[in-house]
């Protein structure tokens, strides 16, 4: 039987011991086939359970990624608005000071001109 002819029985050499060994082999082969089928079914069930679990986790991850993307976009919008506000604030703070700066510049030129004696006459005076 070990030589590969497991299911072969020669009719001319058929005796009780050979028949019993052949039956035991067939029964054992059947048990192994059943065990293999059960193991395959259990494995298939485990694969299906894990696949379902992975699908659930993937859906949760996809939702989390989408939520993070929305949060990132919201942060970008807030950052953009902050930058716009700061630019406007800087502009507004500089502009009121510009006339004062220019007036001081003119006054300093007039003061220098008076010392030199080249002050132009005032209009309407």
């Amino acid at each position: 039987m070990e030589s590969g002819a497991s299911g072969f029985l020669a009719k001319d050499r058929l005796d009780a011991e050979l028949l019993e060994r052949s039956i035991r082999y067939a029964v054992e082969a059947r048990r192994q086939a059943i065990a293999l089928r059960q193991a395959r079914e259990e494995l298939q069930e485990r694969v299906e359970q894990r696949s379902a679990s992975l699908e659930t986790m993937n859906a949760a991850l996809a939702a989390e990624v989408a939520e993070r993307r929305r949060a990132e976009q919201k942060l970008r919008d807030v950052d953009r608005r902050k930058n716009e506000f700061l630019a406007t604030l800087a502009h507004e703070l500089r502009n009121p000071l510009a006339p004062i700066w220019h007036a001081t510049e003119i006054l300093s030129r007039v003061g220098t001109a008076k010392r030199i004696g080249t002050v132009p006459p005032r209009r309407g005076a």
Side-chain angles (χ1 to χ4, degrees), residues 11-77:
K11 289 183 185 180
D12 57 340
R13 292 185 350 175
L14 193 59
D15 61 356
E17 182 182 326
L18 184 60
L19 188 57
E20 181 185 349
R21 191 171 14 163
S22 192
I23 290 172
R24 267 191 264 128
Y25 175 79
V27 168
E28 182 61 27
R30 178 71 177 151
R31 276 191 212 136
Q32 288 178 353
I34 291 171
L36 182 62
R37 185 176 50 243
Q38 287 174 345
R40 188 178 305 130
E41 289 171 358
E42 288 173 9
L43 183 60
Q44 180 65 32
E45 184 177 329
R46 288 175 57 194
V47 166
E48 289 172 2
Q49 288 173 349
R50 289 194 177 165
S51 294
S53 174
L54 286 173
E55 286 176 9
T56 302
M57 286 189 280
N58 281 340
L61 283 174
E64 184 178 341
V65 166
E67 179 62 30
R68 286 178 184 238
R69 284 186 179 154
R70 283 191 296 272
E72 287 174 8
Q73 185 60 44
K74 187 175 180 180
L75 285 173
R76 280 190 207 101
D77 290 343

